[in-house]
Amino acid sequence: GLQFYKNCASTLEYFASLAFTNSSQHDEHRCRISAEKFFGGRDQISSNHAYYNFKYYKTTTIDKYNPVTKWKLEWNNETNYNTTIIRDKEILVVRNEHMWEDAANLDILLGGNGDFNTDQKVTHGSEKYHNHTSQISVLGYKRLCCMLHEEIDVFEEIVHLAINLNGSAKVETVREVERKCGIEEYPSRLEWAESCRERLAEALS
């Protein structure tokens, strides 16, 4: 795992470019293959975090133990998203970007008072890697999104299923992803995904 990051992910920008670069050099070719497995959740050795992704947990929890018996999704307008669904179990989520807000609302929903000590901070030492992992260009970010397009689909599906988020919150979360990833630049989500596949295929040719 550590050797993979040292050789193939010296910076996040370089890591994001691997799958879009056609290189005959052995090391870069090997890193490209590793990156594709990494983003696809098929390489547990390099990263447990990437392997146990949204798709993994959705498959092993929601899909396995909580199948859909009725499913209907429809957009009413720019701010309202209606989900008609019947499940045996309810889906609850906490968004990382709105962690304390969602946690407090969820606590109230479950009978608590929503009072959390938000001054507490546990980083597990991640601040040591901030400069290494956080600097990435707009293009690099869009490339990461392309590599993660299947994972983004699963993420948004989980957001839409959450009973503790209202329609506006769901739309806001989805729109933010689409803005950062450049999806809004395309006429449709399908055309964006197809463009990603084409660019990846061109890099291989």
Side-chain angles (χ1 to χ4, degrees):
L2 180 60
Q3 196 63 36
F4 165 75
Y5 287 103
K6 289 177 64 176
N7 295 338
C8 301
S10 55
T11 67
L12 189 56
E13 188 74 35
Y14 175 69
F15 190 47
S17 71
L18 283 173
F20 295 86
T21 303
N22 186 358
S23 175
S24 58
Q25 294 185 21
H26 175 72
D27 287 345
E28 287 196 355
H29 179 71
R30 180 175 54 80
C31 284
R32 177 197 172 93
I33 295 174
S34 296
E36 290 175 347
K37 290 181 179 179
F38 177 95
F39 285 111
R42 301 188 304 275
D43 187 359
Q44 188 176 2
I45 296 176
S46 296
S47 172
N48 275 327
H49 287 294
Y51 181 81
Y52 294 108
N53 55 19
F54 285 125
K55 183 178 181 180
Y56 173 88
Y57 284 112
K58 178 177 177 293
T59 301
T60 56
T61 57
I62 297 175
D63 294 344
K64 186 175 182 179
Y65 298 108
N66 202 17
V68 175
T69 55
K70 183 179 180 182
W71 174 273
K72 183 181 180 183
L73 302 176
E74 59 183 10
W75 290 99
N76 281 344
N77 52 48
E78 287 296 315
T79 58
N80 292 317
Y81 188 94
N82 286 342
T83 305
T84 303
I85 192 167
I86 298 176
R87 285 183 181 270
D88 294 330
K89 300 177 180 65
E90 297 170 323
I91 310 300
L92 306 169
V93 306
V94 175
R95 299 165 295 171
N96 190 61
E97 297 82 356
H98 304 274
M99 183 178 295
W100 291 116
E101 175 190 353
D102 287 350
N105 291 336
L106 188 55
D107 185 56
I108 294 171
L109 181 66
L110 297 175
N113 59 16
D115 185 19
F116 289 93
N117 181 5
T118 58
D119 292 331
Q120 293 182 351
K121 184 178 181 180
V122 180
T123 65
H124 302 286
S126 61
E127 67 276 2
K128 294 185 298 184
Y129 306 100
H130 181 271
N131 290 334
H132 172 75
T133 60
S134 299
Q135 297 177 0
I136 187 168
S137 67
V138 173
L139 176 59
Y141 199 102
K142 291 178 179 179
R143 284 175 165 174
L144 288 178
C145 291
C146 269
M147 295 296 293
L148 291 167
H149 70 272
E150 291 182 357
E151 185 75 347
I152 290 172
D153 287 341
V154 177
F155 163 78
E156 293 186 357
E157 184 178 343
I158 294 172
V159 168
H160 291 318
L161 293 175
I163 68 164
N164 61 310
L165 298 179
N166 61 32
S168 296
K170 293 177 182 180
V171 171
E172 174 192 346
T173 300
V174 171
R175 289 285 188 261
E176 182 64 18
V177 172
E178 292 179 343
R179 281 193 294 270
K180 288 183 176 180
C181 291
I183 299 173
E184 291 183 334
E185 300 169 11
Y186 293 83
S188 71
R189 181 64 169 270
L190 289 176
E191 291 189 51
W192 169 75
E194 182 61 30
S195 173
C196 285
R197 287 190 290 267
E198 289 176 356
R199 279 180 283 164
L200 290 169
E202 288 175 1
L204 283 173
S205 61

